[in-house]
Amino acid sequence: MQQDIWKILAFMSVAAAFGLVSGQLLAALLVCSLMVIAWYVYRLQQLYRWLRNPTNEPLPTNSGLFYLIFREISRRNTKYSARKRQLKSHLAQFQRAAGVIPDAIVLIDADNKIEWANNNAARLLGIEWPRDAKLRFTDLVRNPACAALLEQPDAQESGIEVSLSRNRDRTLNMSCAKYTTELRMVMARDVSHLVKVNALHKQFVANVSHELKTPLTVLKGYLEILQSHPQLAPVLQSPIEQMTQQSERMEIIVADLLYLSRLEHTEGASQQQPLEVTQLINGVVESVQSLIANKHHKLELDIDYEVSLIGNQAELHSAFCNILNNAIRYTDAGGIIKIRWQKRADGAMFSIKDNGIGIPAHAIPSLTRRFYRVNDDRSREDGGTGLGLAIVKHVLQRHDAQLEIISELGQGSEFRCLFPSQRVSRQNYQMQIKDQ
Ligand code: ADP
């Protein structure tokens, strides 16, 4: 750069000397300046021509300020080209990897327009890349549940299961995750096999439970006869009593299993009439009266009489009974159990809170699994089947509701059933709930 300044100064000095000798100083300086400007314009033109095709043309100069500019641009170009090649190769690798994943992957923008799709998107969703580029995902995959999935702002943990009209026999698990502010990734996995195995498993359990019913009834009948027999040897009294107790337990387990299976195999809660929740809660409380009295628990009720629930009375009775039963069983004698039914901004909440033994945090996510118990012995001693909360979960699912469990070991537990606003209505009736 300094070189250029010296050159211009030298050129101007020569022009000034020539001007002084010829008596035309101003004219000489003017001509000299015009020549310098013309020379720079010429170099700029060269730069422009070279920039339009920098790879094919050699650098038009090899010294001075313009040489430095050409060289810097050329260096950056080379670096950019290498980076571009590297990114292209990464992209190709990613696309090949995404191609061998058995799931369908589709990238969509904020308007649900397709930005990219892997090979399996054609097989599972009928979306072909690049044929369907920029088409709307929801126009190609027409399914209300899918459309609702894309509307949700946050990614869901487990996704949704859908059967698309293009292949009704196939069940897909679909999920959608946002990975930039604009782009989202829709993933679809074929879970038909899992669904079939699951259905077979449930059917098997239902069949076994059903088959056990008759032999159990016969067994219980004979045990009752034996128990009341006047000549029963004293040594047999205790074993027969235990056999009767165990057969009763088995009967309850079979009944719970059959009930669970009915919940799984029939459509969602059919009754759509508003229920009188006060009546429902009265029924639940009445069914556990003797248990409460035996353990000397104090029952507190906080009920909003005007809020009613749309659902199935028998199913909700069974779910609420299970929760209340647990609260009574897992709280030591003289405990306090609070039942609440309240309106909330997003629906309504039925809650049962106890000051019982509590649940360790690690066990809470597993509580609704069949036969899961924190303490096997305590549950069995108290006549638990390990199916109560699985039933609660299913009933709540059928009412679009969620179960929230808050608990602290040694302090107590709260089981909250959260009903969405479409399941809740306000009624102007006043029912007297039995005060305990
Ligand atoms: P169970 O018939 O064994 O009670 P559930 O499905 O009703 O089966 O409950 C599963 C497990 O959850 C129970 O075994 C118990 O360990 C735990 N549990 C449920 N409710 C409570 C509660 N209110 N307090 C403490 N533990 C509870």
Side-chain angles (χ1 to χ4, degrees), residues 278-341:
T278 44
Q279 212 176 45
L280 177 67
I281 296 174
N282 257 344
V284 171
V285 170
E286 253 164 42
S287 67
V288 293
Q289 273 301 345
S290 57
L291 273 175
I292 294 179
N294 284 348
K295 291 196 79 169
H296 308 290
H297 288 323
K298 186 168 180 273
L299 197 62
E300 292 176 1
L301 299 169
D302 175 6
I303 312 293
D304 186 337
Y305 298 99
E306 288 180 2
V307 183
S308 65
L309 184 59
I310 298 163
N312 182 305
Q313 172 112 12
E315 287 182 17
L316 290 167
H317 175 91
S318 139
F320 294 171
C321 265
N322 274 317
I323 302 177
L324 185 54
N325 234 301
N326 283 345
I328 297 166
R329 288 191 295 125
Y330 297 109
T331 301
D332 292 335
I336 299 172
I337 294 168
K338 291 181 189 160
I339 302 183
R340 274 192 295 161
W341 169 243

Side-chain angles (χ1 to χ4, degrees), residues 256 322-323 326-331 354 356-359 367-369 371-376 379-380 383-391 407 412-415:
D256 274 1
N322 274 317
I323 302 177
N326 283 345
I328 297 166
R329 288 191 295 125
Y330 297 109
T331 301
D354 61 60
I357 60 170
I359 303 159
L367 289 185
T368 54
R369 270 188 2 222
F371 298 115
Y372 181 89
R373 295 158 169 124
V374 180
N375 182 335
D376 270 8
S379 162
R380 287 203 180 91
T385 61
L387 294 168
L389 291 180
I391 291 175
S407 186
S413 314
E414 182 174 5
F415 285 74

Side-chain angles (χ1 to χ4, degrees), residues 31-264:
V31 170
C32 173
S33 306
L34 284 174
M35 283 169 78
V36 170
I37 292 171
W39 185 80
Y40 271 94
V41 170
Y42 167 70
R43 279 289 189 225
L44 281 173
Q45 246 181 353
Q46 273 188 321
L47 175 64
Y48 174 69
R49 260 204 318 272
W50 181 79
L51 275 179
R52 286 179 58 170
N53 201 355
T55 43
N56 293 346
E57 301 247 345
L59 293 189
T61 175
N62 54 11
S63 66
L65 177 63
F66 274 89
Y67 169 70
L68 293 177
I69 294 174
F70 284 129
R71 203 184 56 179
E72 184 57 26
I73 294 175
S74 172
R75 201 178 58 81
R76 286 187 186 211
N77 258 343
T78 317
K79 210 169 127 188
Y80 168 74
S81 302
R83 182 102 189 98
K84 201 167 140 188
R85 271 198 303 280
Q86 199 185 22
L87 282 176
K88 260 187 170 169
S89 125
H90 284 335
L91 186 65
Q93 261 183 26
F94 165 76
Q95 289 185 345
R96 273 199 300 277
V100 296
I101 293 174
D103 303 349
I105 297 176
V106 185
L107 306 187
I108 55 169
D109 67 10
D111 285 334
N112 295 339
K113 287 190 182 146
I114 295 167
E115 290 285 331
W116 180 80
N118 72 348
N119 297 344
N120 279 316
R123 184 174 59 86
L124 296 176
L125 302 170
I127 292 176
E128 255 181 61
W129 180 259
R131 186 196 69 187
D132 297 332
K134 293 290 167 196
L135 294 184
R136 238 179 256 279
F137 183 91
T138 36
D139 289 342
L140 299 178
V141 180
R142 290 187 171 274
N143 181 289
C146 261
L149 177 81
L150 302 190
E151 292 293 306
Q152 289 179 13
D154 300 317
Q156 316 71 39
E157 235 172 62
S158 52
I160 53 160
E161 282 185 6
V162 288
S163 292
L164 302 180
S165 50
R166 61 194 306 271
N167 189 349
R168 285 266 169 231
D169 291 338
R170 182 182 276 156
T171 308
L172 297 179
N173 179 285
M174 295 191 64
S175 54
C176 175
K178 201 171 184 169
Y179 70 98
T180 69
T181 43
E182 280 289 296
L183 291 176
R184 285 166 300 158
M185 185 190 280
V186 181
M187 287 156 286
R189 170 172 297 182
D190 188 350
V191 289
S192 319
H193 183 63
L194 270 178
V195 170
K196 275 183 198 139
V197 171
N198 219 354
L200 275 176
H201 165 79
K202 283 175 183 163
Q203 192 59 50
F204 172 77
V205 174
N207 288 345
V208 171
S209 313
H210 191 73
E211 291 303 321
L212 281 176
K213 257 176 90 174
T214 319
L216 254 178
T217 316
V218 175
L219 252 169
K220 250 189 82 187
Y222 278 120
L223 282 171
E224 269 165 27
I225 294 171
L226 278 173
Q227 225 176 358
S228 55
H229 199 284
Q231 284 160 14
L232 181 69
V235 68
L236 290 179
Q237 263 170 8
S238 167
I240 285 179
E241 208 170 286
Q242 276 182 35
M243 281 162 79
T244 311
Q245 270 172 15
Q246 290 307 318
S247 63
E248 273 164 7
R249 229 175 85 72
M250 265 179 89
E251 215 174 37
I252 298 172
I253 293 176
V254 167
D256 274 1
L257 276 173
L258 283 171
Y259 188 55
L260 250 179
S261 142
R262 245 200 339 271
L263 289 177
E264 284 167 348

